[in-house]
Amino acid sequence: MSAVETTEEPGGTAAVHTDKIAGVLMPTGARPRRAGPLSASLTYGWRALLKIKHVPEQLFDVTVFPIMMTVMFTYIFGGAIAGSVDGYVQWLIPGIFVQTLIMITMYTGLTLNRDISKGVFDRFRSLPTWRPAQLVGALLGDQVRYTLAGVIILTVGFVMGFRPDGGALGVLVAFALLLVFSFSLSWVWTVISLAVRTEQAAMGISMFILMPLTFASNIFVDPRTMPSWLEPAVDVNPVSVVVTSIRELMAGSFQAGSVATVLLYCVVLVALFGPISMFIYNRKS
Amino acid sequence: MGVPEIAIETSGLVKTFGSTRAVDGVDLTVRRGGIYGFLGPNGAGKTTVIRMLATLLRPDAGEAHVLGHDVLTEAKVIREKIALTGQFASLDEDLTGIENLIMLGRLLGLSSRAARSRGLDLLAAFGLSEAAEKQVKKYSGGMRRRLDIAGSLIVTPELMFLDEPTTGIDPRSRNQVWDIIRTLVSGGTTILLTTQYLEEADQLADRLAVIDHGTVIAEGTPGQLKAQVGSGALTVRVLDEADREDAARVLGEVIGADVHRESDPTALTVRVDQTARAAAALTALEAEDLGIETFSLGQPSLDEVFLTLTGSPADDSAQGTPDETKAGAR
Ligand SMILES: Nc1ncnc2c1ncn2[C@@H]1O[C@H](COP(=O)(O)OP(=O)(O)OP(=O)(O)O)[C@@H](O)[C@H]1O
Ligand SMILES: [Mg+2]
């Protein structure tokens, strides 16, 4: 018996009283009104936050990685491309801001891939809630991670001399727009991570998509300096569109057209990849 | 009110994974009330059937109705009335006990405050109050099981699926889980329980189905099943290895059944239909001066059930049976 005593935590040794259990049962058939889609999504989002609270190590990628990206790219490219770090910072920080957040969205898919294979998802899927809430909630919870990463990048940028003309308001609006885009883009990684079997495969495919998107964009260099055949591709690249819009907002020049284009991309991403995610999710064994 | 009398009805249920026919034509009728047992070895297809009934997995063929609703077209209604306690703890390991229950309560539509107080009540009833603020990954196996069941009772389900609720927990925790299950049934919930232990099915279930290789190979009350299998087995360990053959002869004569020589060179097992026969056999061994170290009269094991029902021992995987054994069995 001593083995039992040591494995049972203090709370666990308390006897189970069946009369207490009988007393706590609700009559069958009595049930609260079913949770709405929003409340269910927020509950799953709350779960994601609790996981951050209990396992703070998982914030490594949204703290150390952004600092590294910002410092590294500013000093490496700053000298080589613009000749001086000071001038380049104004151009580069908004780009790095977008690039880093987009790269971090990829982890959403990877985490989901791991999470979904756990027993608790069987229970979630057997509950009478709006099913997409399980995915929407996870993505909402990730907004906290994106926000943290964004704040770190902008702080490091500020320390390195980034002074946006748009002021605090411009930066805030840009930040909000990027969060909306990140949420929308996350659905792409969600589809990939649901469709493939292993985390490694999801990582590989995601990288394969991300690398050209971020590097064949206007993040690091002005497309005017690129070969003429590449220029149009860079211009329609959604990442370039987002970066342009973020730069404008941070510089204090609000252009309704480019903001609208970004939002249109968001709608298309969610409308396309949201239902595909749900289709695969519902059929996953 | 027209409450259907039948909790679960399936016909020709099939699910394949690649080339594995995990469930291969299952026909079941489970009445409301009481405990229905699902007995089978590893890989028999128990979990797969439960996942289809709990609307987590779509059947490839066949039909299933749960509480009168079709699993394919009325999944939402079914989810309102069932609860699932999966084989591998359906809890979030990173969260604490109370956080898990609050989360489930919120998802079922309780307000934050109601979810917390419901969670605390359940933890108290399940003897887990002191572990409320502890992460589930730090719980022992027995505590985890109890929390898992508590999570299924935030709203009392009409039908509850319990997938191997006592596998891997110690005997005392197992007895606690049995008590909990019996309490639930007296509260009016129907329970479908899977197990690998005949003893558990015998203790709890009103009826049971024996499942193997994705098909039901026997169905009935535990009494009917045991009548087919024999009530139990007498295991004898002789003091001296050299006496084993003599002891085997005596046991065979008195009980009139085949004596099985265990891999332990002193042990013998023989199936007995009447306890009186076992007593007579022990007396006969004594009379012949064959020293006995220990003896036990136990329920037939799952292996013995399978030996009787299929002619081949229960194997550990659905694919692992050599074809000859199977051919010989049917
Ligand atoms: N998601 C899956 N993908 C592929 N094969 C699967 C999957 N789930 C189950 N199987 C296979 O289906 C068969 C039946 O599995 P199942 O889990 O239903 O058995 P079980 O009776 O619950 O066994 P256990 O007692 O080990 O839990 C096994 O051969 C298993 O390998
Ligand atoms: Mg199983």
Side-chain angles (χ1 to χ4, degrees):
Chain A
M1 280 314 271
S2 64
V4 174
E5 241 77 65
T6 50
T7 53
E8 287 273 348
E9 297 295 332
T13 45
V16 172
H17 296 294
T18 51
D19 46 337
K20 275 201 208 157
I21 292 173
V24 85
L25 290 181
M26 286 187 176
T28 39
R31 58 163 47 247
R33 260 188 47 212
R34 142 191 338 194
L38 181 65
S39 131
S41 302
L42 291 176
T43 305
Y44 286 114
W46 177 68
R47 164 177 180 260
L49 297 189
L50 287 174
K51 286 178 98 79
I52 293 178
K53 183 181 123 194
H54 290 298
V55 195
E57 304 89 274
Q58 61 175 297
L59 290 179
F60 182 81
D61 58 347
V62 292
T63 49
V64 178
F65 181 65
I67 296 177
M68 200 185 75
M69 293 281 282
T70 315
V71 173
M72 204 175 69
F73 280 110
T74 309
Y75 288 109
I76 291 174
F77 290 107
I81 299 171
S84 88
V85 168
D86 272 0
Y88 190 54
V89 157
Q90 312 304 328
W91 162 263
L92 185 68
I93 292 299
I96 289 287
F97 181 53
V98 174
Q99 187 197 20
T100 309
L101 258 68
I102 285 179
M103 303 224 24
I104 290 172
T105 57
M106 200 176 73
Y107 288 98
T108 296
L110 298 182
T111 315
L112 209 58
N113 181 300
R114 217 175 309 139
D115 208 14
I116 281 180
S117 59
K118 300 220 177 99
V120 72
F121 262 79
D122 267 4
R123 191 195 279 282
F124 291 159
R125 278 153 29 111
S126 73
L127 292 175
T129 51
W130 183 61
R131 271 219 184 165
Q134 289 144 46
L135 304 184
V136 175
L139 300 190
L140 284 180
D142 271 330
Q143 295 291 314
V144 173
R145 294 160 43 80
Y146 304 159
T147 306
L148 182 62
V151 167
I152 288 174
I153 295 162
L154 294 177
T155 309
V156 172
F158 192 80
V159 170
M160 293 195 308
F162 175 57
R163 297 288 181 275
D165 292 335
L169 181 67
V171 171
L172 275 180
V173 175
F175 209 142
L177 184 67
L178 185 55
L179 285 180
V180 172
F181 181 76
S182 301
F183 173 82
S184 312
L185 185 67
S186 300
W187 288 99
V188 177
W189 316 131
T190 305
V191 167
I192 293 171
S193 67
L194 287 170
V196 303
R197 216 180 290 266
T198 66
E199 210 177 315
Q200 281 81 359
M203 179 93 178
I205 299 174
S206 306
M207 274 301 201
F208 185 77
I209 299 175
L210 260 186
M211 279 300 171
L213 275 182
T214 50
F215 284 97
S217 75
N218 58 1
I219 290 179
F220 299 107
V221 289
D222 191 326
R224 296 329 126 217
T225 65
M226 293 181 182
S228 55
W229 57 268
L230 190 58
E231 214 185 298
V234 170
D235 284 340
V236 296
N237 180 347
V239 173
S240 302
V241 175
V242 175
V243 171
T244 304
S245 186
I246 298 292
R247 278 198 180 121
E248 287 165 2
L249 288 169
M250 287 193 170
S253 65
F254 174 81
Q255 308 271 346
S258 57
V259 172
T261 315
V262 173
L263 292 176
L264 182 70
Y265 270 114
C266 292
V267 171
V268 171
L269 284 171
V270 176
L272 200 63
F273 292 95
I276 300 177
S277 298
M278 283 320 297
F279 181 84
I280 308 177
Y281 180 63
N282 283 333
R283 272 156 194 76
K284 215 170 160 66
S285 42
Chain B
M1 261 261 302
V3 175
E5 269 296 288
I6 304 293
I8 298 171
E9 190 156 38
T10 74
S11 68
L13 212 54
V14 172
K15 183 75 200 179
T16 50
F17 296 110
S19 60
T20 312
R21 289 182 80 81
V23 175
D24 195 2
V26 164
D27 304 319
L28 271 185
T29 306
V30 177
R31 302 179 71 79
R32 250 178 207 269
I35 304 178
Y36 193 92
F38 232 42
L39 180 66
N42 285 138
K46 305 182 294 291
T47 301
T48 309
V49 172
I50 284 201
R51 287 167 56 87
M52 285 191 280
L53 296 175
T55 74
L56 301 181
L57 208 57
R58 300 167 76 87
D60 292 334
E63 278 191 27
H65 286 85
V66 173
L67 300 165
H69 306 283
D70 190 311
V71 290
L72 282 179
T73 57
E74 297 172 281
K76 277 216 179 97
V77 192
I78 294 175
R79 287 183 206 137
E80 295 225 308
K81 300 178 172 184
I82 61 164
L84 171 73
T85 305
Q87 179 169 4
F88 306 103
S90 354
L91 299 164
D92 194 321
E93 303 260 306
D94 291 330
L95 270 49
T96 65
I98 185 68
E99 285 167 352
N100 265 284
L101 294 183
I102 292 175
M103 174 176 73
L104 293 171
R106 295 284 289 138
L107 292 172
L108 287 164
L110 296 178
S111 67
S112 295
R113 179 183 305 205
R116 169 171 288 273
S117 86
R118 184 85 186 121
L120 290 172
D121 288 351
L122 283 164
L123 288 176
F126 281 80
L128 291 168
S129 291
E130 282 167 56
E133 304 290 343
K134 228 183 262 267
Q135 275 179 290
V136 172
K137 65 169 89 146
K138 296 182 183 137
Y139 278 31
S140 72
M143 291 163 70
R144 229 175 257 239
R145 264 299 157 197
R146 295 202 311 266
L147 182 65
D148 211 348
I149 296 176
S152 293
L153 299 178
I154 291 168
V155 172
T156 308
E158 286 179 42
L159 172 65
M160 181 158 166
F161 297 102
L162 278 167
D163 199 357
E164 301 197 19
T166 64
T167 301
I169 63 179
D170 66 47
R172 196 185 47 157
S173 300
R174 187 195 61 182
N175 286 329
Q176 290 181 340
V177 169
W178 284 1
D179 285 343
I180 293 168
I181 293 173
R182 292 193 185 102
T183 312
L184 295 182
V185 174
S186 55
T189 298
T190 309
I191 290 183
L192 179 70
L193 162 129
T194 75
T195 178
Q196 302 190 27
Y197 311 114
L198 182 64
E199 189 200 352
E200 180 162 271
D202 189 22
Q203 283 280 335
L204 295 174
D206 306 306
R207 275 189 92 78
L208 59 102
V210 182
I211 178 164
D212 186 30
H213 295 107
T215 55
V216 175
I217 56 172
E219 209 267 349
T221 63
Q224 289 167 339
L225 205 76
K226 282 200 296 186
Q228 271 184 57
V229 177
S231 62
L234 175 67
T235 301
V236 170
R237 277 204 173 74
V238 291
L239 274 172
D240 185 352
E241 247 180 83
D243 286 344
R244 184 160 94 156
E245 282 313 307
D246 286 333
R249 180 181 46 76
V250 173
L251 288 178
E253 281 166 7
V254 180
I255 294 174
D258 286 342
V259 180
H260 180 68
R261 285 154 184 85
E262 301 286 336
S263 45
D264 174 346
T266 64
L268 294 164
T269 301
V270 59
R271 275 188 31 220
V272 286
D273 295 328
Q274 296 153 320
T275 325
R277 277 294 166 84
L282 292 171
T283 318
L285 288 175
E286 175 87 27
E288 300 234 352
D289 232 14
L290 297 164
I292 296 169
E293 192 189 358
T294 59
F295 71 89
S296 62
L297 186 60
Q299 293 240 350
S301 67
L302 184 60
D303 254 339
E304 288 160 310
V305 173
F306 273 80
L307 206 56
T308 319
L309 292 174
T310 68
S312 69
D315 62 310
D316 271 358
S317 80
Q319 306 99 317
T321 331
D323 282 341
E324 313 84 70
T325 339
K326 269 177 91 176
R330 304 281 144 91

